[in-house]
Amino acid sequence: MKKGLSSSVITFMLIIASIALAIIVISILFSYTGYFSNSGSEITQAGPAYISTSGQLTISIKNTFYDAKIIGVIYNNTLHSITPIILTTGINTYTINTGFAFPSNNQVSLILVVVISSQNTIYIPVTAKVLL
């Protein structure tokens, strides 16, 4: 009776230890590949942005994500989805048709550019000068 109980306790302890070890190994692997952390990854407006009254936004974006794309624009709490624009890493300039008309009496407009990556949805606040 004691031998059976002893071997079942040892088996139970081995199962618990192997599960704990598996969890530790998996978390180390995910941390190493950056699955759970985005340390050092950023996407921001780089330099001035300009927008025409017809809604063409020209913006420079600094991107360190390898799989980011622009999927929409928010203006006056309204989302306009766009054909996805794949962002390359580094600082690049993009022209986006926002789908909104901007009044010529505004000198500056605040727009949110919606970007997605495999792990995040990112909203880039953009201050754009309205071109007449």
Side-chain angles (χ1 to χ4, degrees):
M1 173 88 175
K2 275 188 164 183
K3 186 176 182 185
L5 182 62
S6 175
S7 65
S8 65
V9 169
I10 290 173
T11 304
F12 180 71
M13 289 175 27
L14 287 174
I15 289 172
I16 296 296
S18 63
I19 290 172
L21 184 62
I23 289 171
I24 291 169
V25 168
I26 289 171
S27 66
I28 289 171
L29 288 175
F30 280 150
S31 296
Y32 179 72
T33 60
Y35 189 79
F36 289 126
S37 67
N38 277 330
S39 59
S41 295
E42 69 175 325
I43 186 162
T44 58
Q45 177 181 350
Y50 302 98
I51 193 155
S52 67
T53 55
S54 64
Q56 292 290 330
L57 173 66
T58 303
I59 181 173
S60 294
I61 295 176
K62 178 182 180 185
N63 174 35
T64 59
F65 287 91
Y66 67 92
D67 61 347
K69 56 186 159 189
I70 299 171
I71 61 161
V73 177
I74 299 173
Y75 178 67
N76 282 343
N77 297 323
T78 304
L79 171 66
H80 176 73
S81 296
I82 62 170
T83 303
I85 299 171
I86 297 173
L87 301 177
T88 55
T89 56
I91 298 175
N92 296 288
T93 302
Y94 302 93
T95 301
I96 304 167
N97 182 4
T98 64
F100 298 107
F102 292 86
S104 58
N105 61 349
N106 282 1
Q107 292 191 356
V108 175
S109 290
L110 179 61
I111 304 157
L112 289 175
V113 176
V114 183
V115 177
I116 62 168
S117 72
S118 63
Q119 305 160 25
N120 301 306
T121 300
I122 303 159
Y123 300 93
I124 305 172
V126 174
T127 304
K129 182 178 180 185
V130 179
L131 299 176
L132 303 176

